[in-house]
């Protein structure tokens, strides 16, 4: 049941690629390709922006033996951006979903519905966090070489940021829904 609901949730999530809500009809093949290319261009632009920010911070802080400050600053930036963007996603996915009545009328446990919605929110946070943190990690490894301890530390930091962003997004999304 989880897999079916998650697939439905992903179809809703990526619906804007295939359906034009202004014209109320399906996009053409060229429209889908154009919209996908626009999304890839924006994603690549954000990756370049955060890579240049990472490069400037890394080249200043790491030679002063402040590697911890470099990764802490990138972690704070990641949490801030994921909270700012995903609080509205959490609001619309968890608290103001339009299909809650329909799903609750089906013989689906409420916990499964919440888990699917939380998994969708976690995927959104994962994509945004990867857009910010992966360039930071790659820039560090390019400038100062590969280190297994840094890799383990950044993986732990990445998982911590995911869970922190998920919990903060759900709480702030709830506050937005209450307001």
């Amino acid at each position: 049941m989880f897999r079916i609901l998650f697939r439905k949730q992903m179809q809703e999530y990526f619906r804007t690629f295939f359906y034009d809500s202004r014209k109320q009809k399906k996009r053409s093949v060229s429209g889908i390709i154009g919209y996908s290319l626009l999304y890839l261009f924006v994603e690549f632009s954000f990756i370049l922006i955060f890579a240049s920010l990472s490069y400037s911070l890394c080249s200043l802080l790491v030679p002063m033996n402040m590697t911890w400050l470099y990764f802490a600053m990138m972690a704070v930036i990641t949490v801030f951006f994921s909270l700012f963007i995903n609080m509205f996603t959490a609001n619309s996915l968890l608290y103001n979903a339009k299909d809650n009545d329909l799903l609750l009328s089906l013989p689906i446990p409420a916990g499964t519905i919440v888990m699917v919605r939380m998994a969708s929110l976690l995927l959104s946070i994962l994509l945004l966090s990867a857009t910010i943190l992966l360039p930071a990690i790659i820039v560090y490894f390019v400038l100062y070489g590969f280190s297994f301890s840094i890799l383990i530390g950044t993986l732990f930091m990445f998982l911590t940021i995911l869970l922190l962003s998920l919990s903060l997004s759900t709480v702030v999304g709830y506050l937005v829904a209450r307001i």
Side-chain angles (χ1 to χ4, degrees):
M1 185 58 64
F2 181 85
R3 189 173 24 148
I4 294 169
L5 286 175
F6 189 73
R7 193 175 102 215
K8 176 207 146 299
Q9 195 70 37
M10 288 298 102
Q11 286 174 345
E12 279 183 30
Y13 193 71
F14 293 109
R15 183 177 182 202
T16 56
F17 285 102
F18 304 105
Y19 185 77
D20 189 2
S21 61
R22 286 184 295 161
K23 296 179 184 175
Q24 300 293 328
K25 64 180 183 177
K26 187 179 174 182
R27 289 189 194 273
S28 65
V29 174
S30 61
I32 293 170
I33 291 171
Y35 205 78
S36 299
L37 288 175
L38 176 67
Y39 175 77
L40 289 175
F41 174 74
V42 169
E43 185 72 26
F44 186 69
S45 299
F46 278 120
I47 288 172
L48 285 179
I49 288 169
F50 288 114
S52 65
L53 174 68
S54 299
Y55 178 77
S56 61
L57 286 175
C58 188
S59 61
L60 290 174
L61 294 174
V62 174
M64 296 188 302
N65 291 329
M66 294 190 172
T67 306
W68 64 271
L69 184 61
Y70 166 67
F71 284 114
M73 288 176 73
M74 293 311 293
V76 168
I77 290 169
T78 303
V79 169
F80 174 74
F81 274 103
S82 67
L83 175 65
F84 183 71
I85 291 172
N86 288 311
M87 70 180 175
F88 298 111
T89 306
N91 182 23
S92 65
L93 273 178
L94 298 173
Y95 305 111
N96 293 329
K98 293 176 175 56
D99 60 350
N100 276 342
D101 293 333
L102 174 69
L103 286 175
L104 289 173
S105 68
L106 297 172
I108 302 170
T112 304
I113 297 169
V114 172
M115 283 188 351
V116 166
R117 301 258 167 97
M118 292 294 277
S120 301
L121 182 61
L122 185 64
L123 182 65
S124 175
I125 292 170
L126 175 73
L127 292 175
L128 182 66
S129 297
T131 302
I132 299 171
L133 278 181
L134 285 181
I137 296 167
I138 291 170
V139 163
Y140 179 83
F141 286 152
V142 166
L143 291 179
Y144 297 102
F146 179 79
S147 170
F148 191 70
S149 61
I150 295 291
L151 180 66
I152 296 297
T154 54
L155 288 176
F156 180 72
M157 178 183 70
F158 193 72
L159 290 174
T160 305
I161 287 171
L162 285 177
L163 295 177
L164 179 67
S165 297
L166 180 65
S167 60
L168 288 176
S169 294
T170 54
V171 169
V172 175
Y174 176 75
L175 294 176
V176 168
R178 296 299 293 171
I179 290 174

